[in-house]
Amino acid sequence: DAKTTQPPSMDCAEGRAANLPCNHSTISGNEYVYWYRQIHSQGPQYIIHGLKNNETNEMASLIITEDRKSSTLILPHATLRDTAVYYCIVRVVNNQGGKLIFGQGTELSVKP
Amino acid sequence: DGGITQSPKYLFRKEGQNVTLSCEQNLNHDAMYWYRQDPGQGLRLIYYSQIVNDFQKGDIAEGYSVSREKKESFPLTVTSAQKNPTAFYLCASSIERDTEAFFGQGTRLTVV
């Protein structure tokens, strides 16, 4: 499984966009990029995923570089409730669902 | 409502005792997973099951055992052979061909 590298922590001002980077230089052609977040002592929450194209949903946008070696999760208007640890994961999606291998994540602190 | 349920939320056991953590899902998902999380760390995969009556070891399976007799249930037994069992345990499930894994709220196990 490909590995991901994320900064250990980031700060963001409330109301501003939070841009969380992730490097996955060894990603394979059949591996998707997933983002989850975990608020303290809770189960991780799915945010978004993508393969090659940029993706957007009601929570966030995912920008994947053309060579797929890195990506950025964008929270367009961060709120205090977005304070959490954000995990970038690469995952092979097969007929059986694929494994999720977590790294250390980025601890995002949204400040008033 | 559909979801994945872990019980209990907090569990205390004496050293040397086996303990079983429950994970039940009513999402009709084929794949189920167990993760362990230590303070300030990411999630590490213990075991996963892609179909009933089948399961595979993850990265840190030693000292743990699982069963998958029913699609809905994937209990994890922490045996006395696990050297450092105190941790936060998370169960997840995903459906064949789907790309999102749902997590339970976790069980915090403390061994004294």
Side-chain angles (χ1 to χ4, degrees):
Chain A
D1 297 304
K3 297 289 187 273
T4 62
T5 304
Q6 300 176 252
S9 63
M10 291 182 63
D11 290 339
C12 178
E14 187 178 17
R16 306 297 292 267
N19 298 304
L20 291 88
C22 179
N23 286 323
H24 31 80
S25 58
T26 60
I27 194 170
S28 302
N30 62 347
E31 289 183 314
Y32 286 70
V33 179
Y34 282 73
W35 284 83
Y36 280 76
R37 72 180 183 185
Q38 186 180 27
I39 296 170
H40 182 63
S41 295
Q42 296 183 20
Q45 176 191 22
Y46 166 82
I47 302 173
I48 199 167
H49 73 278
L51 182 62
K52 291 189 288 188
N53 300 321
N54 299 337
E55 302 287 343
T56 296
N57 63 19
E58 64 278 4
M59 289 182 69
S61 294
L62 174 60
I63 309 298
I64 302 174
T65 58
E66 193 169 340
D67 62 7
R68 302 211 321 123
K69 293 185 177 183
S70 65
S71 61
T72 301
L73 178 75
I74 302 172
L75 308 179
H77 305 286
T79 70
L80 298 179
R81 287 184 295 180
D82 291 323
T83 293
V85 178
Y86 287 77
Y87 294 99
C88 169
I89 301 157
V90 292
R91 176 191 189 195
V92 175
V93 178
N94 55 30
N95 287 345
Q96 290 77 37
K99 287 193 295 181
L100 284 170
I101 305 296
F102 285 77
Q104 298 302 305
T106 295
E107 186 166 7
L108 176 68
S109 296
V110 181
K111 300 182 184 300
Chain B
D1 287 349
I4 181 164
T5 303
Q6 291 185 244
S7 61
K9 190 170 183 179
Y10 299 96
L11 189 56
F12 296 87
R13 279 293 182 270
K14 290 185 178 179
E15 191 173 346
Q17 291 182 334
N18 291 355
V19 59
T20 298
L21 282 59
S22 169
C23 179
E24 304 279 332
Q25 53 98 359
N26 60 3
L27 301 165
N28 200 33
H29 284 176
D30 291 303
M32 296 187 74
Y33 312 81
W34 274 105
Y35 292 87
R36 169 186 173 133
Q37 188 173 35
D38 294 288
Q41 303 295 316
L43 283 70
R44 292 184 291 168
L45 183 64
I46 304 172
Y47 267 99
Y48 64 104
S49 168
Q50 296 177 334
I51 198 168
V52 174
N53 292 322
D54 184 57
F55 48 83
Q56 287 82 39
K57 293 181 179 179
D59 300 320
I60 55 166
E62 185 176 351
Y64 299 98
S65 66
V66 294
S67 63
R68 188 85 187 278
E69 297 175 1
K70 298 187 299 181
K71 190 175 188 178
E72 303 79 21
S73 178
F74 191 40
L76 173 74
T77 297
V78 184
T79 74
S80 57
Q82 169 49 235
K83 296 290 185 267
N84 297 297
T86 294
F88 187 49
Y89 290 89
L90 284 157
C91 179
S93 70
S94 68
I95 196 170
E96 177 183 344
R97 291 189 178 275
D98 198 3
T99 58
E100 176 179 349
F102 292 86
F103 281 81
Q105 289 305 297
T107 293
R108 189 166 299 279
L109 173 65
T110 302
V111 176
V112 297

